[in-house]
Amino acid sequence: MEKPSAAAMAPQLLRNLIISALFFADKALLYLPVKWQLLDKLRFLLVSCFLFFLRSLPSVFCPDADSSKAFKFSSKNHESTDLSPTSAGGGDSGIARAISQLLSSMNEIPVSSRKYEVVRSLAERLIDENRGENSASLIDVNRRVLTASFARTLGRLEAAVERDRPRDLGEPIRYGLNRVVRVAMRAVGDGLTGKGGEEAEQWSAEKLAAEVLWLSEKMVTCGFGEEAVEKWASASSLARLALWAEPRLQGSMVQISAFLFKQVKEMGKGEGGEKDKWRLTKKKMLTSWLPLLCRASNGAEKPFLRTVEQTKLERVLEETISELKIEDQEQVLSLWLHHFTHCSSSDWPNLHASYARWCSSSRKIFLFQSK
């Protein structure tokens, strides 16, 4: 085999050096965009310009492949910069890649765009068609792409809530002024870039919360809502941030919690290790999201849940608590009592019956052990 000449190797070597340098430069900025939006835009501009440069000179830098697929960029809060549609966990099949790409695009497109409903409807149709085929392989495709999309959207939601949370919880007035300044600066930036607020809407926490709810519903419909429940139960950091979120966003997360709590009671019907696993998941679900249910303002103008829904959810919570071990019941009910009694704007959920039953059980155990 004839060895390549130095002249032929030079463009390839230069290309590899440039890609490596850009990769490490991009990696150094991974944790900055959450606090400094200007750096995020600068990073996106540099990456876009370099991709355009490679695409415009394919014969010099990348003669054998599409330069737009030459490399990937990862980001903690902007997974969408990964150029590979399989990055969402969709597998190797074309249908998996198609659904993954649609779900990823749904995160990117503002709700006000006409394209948003088109993309979401197409993704929903493909998911429903996979489910209608009664094929184990297609069901597994749905499971993987929806689970990956749920995890990605949940991560973005937490980043968005973290971005907007008050840094000094003891000074709500200053927090309000800071929000006004941020909104004004964002409006000026949109005026300069001509985006008209679409970027703010694209990454808004309310939009992402609505997509988490939609994904939860699709996962339950497809028969694997347990993945959504596990991930939501484990989102303890997001649950803490939600206590200081704006009322409308709190309402969205209350609705997600209410929907997934209803799925919890149907799980863990097995025996042994499986039952213990779901008992732990139920405890995590309660300790993570029960404080928000107690402290959410419950809608000054419009209730987050109707009275009937509140009553049904109270029953679900009582049943879920009753399935825990006695020591876990104490931990959950103590947490409930703390937040319930310290929130003056809401008297829901009222779990006094569960608390009374736990006290009665604890008394019986004490009397038995004292004999």
Side-chain angles (χ1 to χ4, degrees):
M1 182 179 296
E2 184 180 354
K3 294 183 178 180
S5 63
M9 293 179 61
Q12 186 72 17
L13 179 61
L14 179 60
R15 168 183 169 273
N16 291 340
L17 288 174
I18 295 175
I19 289 176
S20 299
L22 186 61
F23 173 78
F24 286 110
D26 177 77
K27 191 174 182 180
L29 296 175
L30 287 182
Y31 301 101
L32 298 178
V34 173
K35 294 184 179 180
W36 293 283
Q37 296 294 322
L38 180 60
L39 288 179
D40 186 30
K41 293 181 179 180
L42 179 61
R43 170 180 173 270
F44 178 76
L45 178 62
L46 290 174
V47 172
S48 301
C49 290
F50 185 68
L51 286 174
F52 177 77
F53 178 65
L54 287 184
R55 190 179 296 113
S56 63
L57 297 173
S59 61
V60 176
F61 290 101
C62 193
D64 300 321
D66 183 358
S67 60
S68 65
K69 299 179 182 178
F71 51 87
K72 303 174 184 178
F73 294 97
S74 61
S75 171
K76 180 181 179 181
N77 299 320
H78 299 285
E79 295 86 348
S80 61
T81 54
D82 190 337
L83 301 178
S84 171
T86 60
S87 63
D92 297 329
S93 65
I95 186 63
R97 290 192 295 272
I99 299 174
S100 295
Q101 190 171 19
L102 287 167
L103 293 177
S104 180
S105 297
M106 191 176 74
N107 282 161
E108 305 291 339
I109 302 173
V111 179
S112 59
S113 173
R114 290 177 296 178
K115 299 175 184 178
Y116 182 83
E117 191 58 37
V118 173
V119 169
R120 194 169 91 163
S121 297
L122 180 55
E124 188 168 19
R125 192 183 82 184
L126 294 178
I127 293 168
D128 291 342
E129 288 176 352
N130 281 356
R131 185 166 58 91
E133 291 292 336
N134 293 322
S135 166
S137 298
L138 288 176
I139 290 174
D140 186 60
V141 166
N142 281 354
R143 178 189 297 270
R144 285 188 289 164
V145 295
L146 284 171
T147 301
S149 182
F150 186 92
R152 180 181 64 246
T153 309
L154 190 60
R156 287 179 170 177
L157 174 59
E158 182 175 339
V161 178
E162 167 69 23
R163 177 194 64 207
D164 294 334
R165 77 178 176 90
R167 300 298 167 181
D168 187 349
L169 300 179
E171 298 187 28
I173 295 178
R174 191 171 71 181
Y175 169 55
L177 292 175
N178 287 340
R179 286 193 57 81
V180 171
V181 172
R182 284 201 300 270
V183 171
M185 292 178 65
R186 185 177 297 170
V188 172
D190 292 338
L192 293 175
T193 58
K195 292 184 179 180
E198 285 191 354
E199 183 180 353
E201 181 185 354
Q202 171 188 350
W203 294 105
S204 73
E206 286 185 50
K207 172 184 181 291
L208 294 168
E211 289 172 358
V212 169
L213 179 59
W214 181 83
L215 288 166
S216 301
E217 293 170 347
K218 297 309 298 181
M219 293 173 75
V220 170
T221 301
C222 291
F224 38 87
E226 62 272 9
E227 276 90 345
V229 170
E230 286 182 328
K231 292 186 182 303
W232 191 250
S234 300
S236 55
S237 297
L238 174 61
R240 285 192 295 271
L241 291 169
L243 296 177
W244 309 103
E246 294 179 342
R248 286 179 59 181
L249 179 56
Q250 285 185 336
S252 297
M253 287 191 273
V254 165
Q255 290 174 351
I256 298 170
S257 300
F259 176 74
L260 292 177
F261 265 119
K262 293 174 184 177
Q263 316 308 316
V264 166
K265 71 173 186 176
E266 304 297 332
M267 300 171 184
K269 302 294 185 180
E271 297 180 356
E274 187 69 17
K275 191 171 184 178
D276 291 338
K277 169 193 169 185
W278 280 110
R279 186 182 287 121
L280 178 60
T281 300
K282 291 175 180 180
K283 178 186 174 184
K284 288 167 62 178
M285 187 80 167
L286 287 163
T287 54
S288 293
W289 294 103
L290 195 54
L292 177 64
L293 298 184
C294 293
R295 288 192 174 269
S297 62
N298 206 32
E301 298 179 357
K302 180 181 179 181
F304 298 153
L305 300 174
R306 294 175 297 176
T307 305
V308 175
E309 293 174 326
Q310 290 180 352
T311 303
K312 289 182 179 179
L313 185 55
E314 278 185 350
R315 293 200 205 101
V316 170
L317 293 173
E318 289 178 349
E319 292 176 14
T320 304
I321 292 172
S322 67
E323 295 173 0
L324 302 179
K325 296 179 179 179
I326 192 71
E327 57 271 19
D328 292 335
Q329 289 185 32
E330 178 180 3
Q331 182 179 346
V332 170
L333 289 168
S334 296
L335 182 68
W336 164 78
L337 185 63
H338 170 77
H339 289 280
F340 182 78
T341 55
H342 284 79
C343 181
S344 59
S345 61
S346 175
D347 58 356
W348 179 85
N350 193 340
L351 303 178
H352 67 279
S354 292
Y355 195 85
R357 281 194 295 269
W358 169 77
C359 289
S360 178
S361 299
S362 298
R363 185 186 299 109
K364 291 178 181 178
I365 292 174
F366 174 76
L367 291 174
F368 178 79
Q369 292 176 344
S370 62
K371 289 182 180 180

